[in-house]
Amino acid sequence: CMIGSDGLYFDEKPHPRLWGTFPRVLGKYSRKLNLFSFTEAVRKMTSLPASVFGLENRGLVKVGYFADLVVFDMDKVKDEGSFTEPCKVPSGILWVVVNGEVVCKDGDVTGNKPGQVLVGLVKK
């Protein structure tokens, strides 16, 4: 199965899963409960959805692919949001790179916004 979030970014008080889905999977379901490895968790959040949705040149770290990367501490990554503080930054996320540009460094947002809307075709 794939892992994703249906959290809505433009809600005034979004569901905590908007910021916490992926850190929760890594911290709780992979590290704490050992339901699957970190490698499998990352695959379920990256290359699997990219393949299913037909997003070319995404989902893997390969020459010629878009550089969308998250560097995290496997021992510390954890969702921190709650219904009272849904936008609380997850712990253990060190860097986020989107389309080759750093958007988060050492937990601080850089202000870079290189993202774009992705449109793919669901493969049957």
Side-chain angles (χ1 to χ4, degrees):
C1 71
M2 292 185 296
I3 296 170
S5 173
D6 62 352
L8 301 173
Y9 180 75
F10 297 106
D11 285 356
E12 186 175 318
K13 259 208 162 167
H15 192 284
R17 71 177 163 253
L18 175 64
W19 301 105
T21 296
F22 302 112
R24 174 167 285 230
V25 167
L26 294 167
K28 181 175 181 178
Y29 300 116
S30 184
R31 183 183 63 236
K32 184 176 179 184
L33 299 177
N34 202 28
L35 296 178
F36 37 76
S37 68
F38 274 102
T39 302
E40 183 63 10
V42 170
R43 186 188 76 80
K44 290 172 177 284
M45 296 184 275
T46 58
S47 63
L48 181 59
S51 175
V52 168
F53 293 123
L55 302 174
E56 295 182 1
N57 301 323
R58 298 211 180 252
L60 296 170
V61 178
K62 289 178 75 170
V63 173
Y65 275 45
F66 292 92
D68 298 329
L69 307 165
V70 176
V71 178
F72 60 90
D73 183 327
M74 291 179 9
D75 295 324
K76 295 180 181 176
V77 65
K78 179 179 182 276
D79 62 310
E80 299 288 351
S82 65
F83 286 102
T84 55
E85 291 184 87
C87 299
K88 194 167 182 186
V89 176
S91 55
I93 304 290
L94 307 174
W95 286 57
V96 178
V97 178
V98 176
N99 289 328
E101 289 189 42
V102 176
V103 298
C104 178
K105 180 179 177 182
D106 299 322
D108 295 321
V109 176
T110 64
N112 294 335
K113 296 181 181 181
Q116 59 187 353
V117 175
L118 302 178
V119 179
L121 302 171
V122 176
K123 295 180 180 179
K124 294 182 180 182

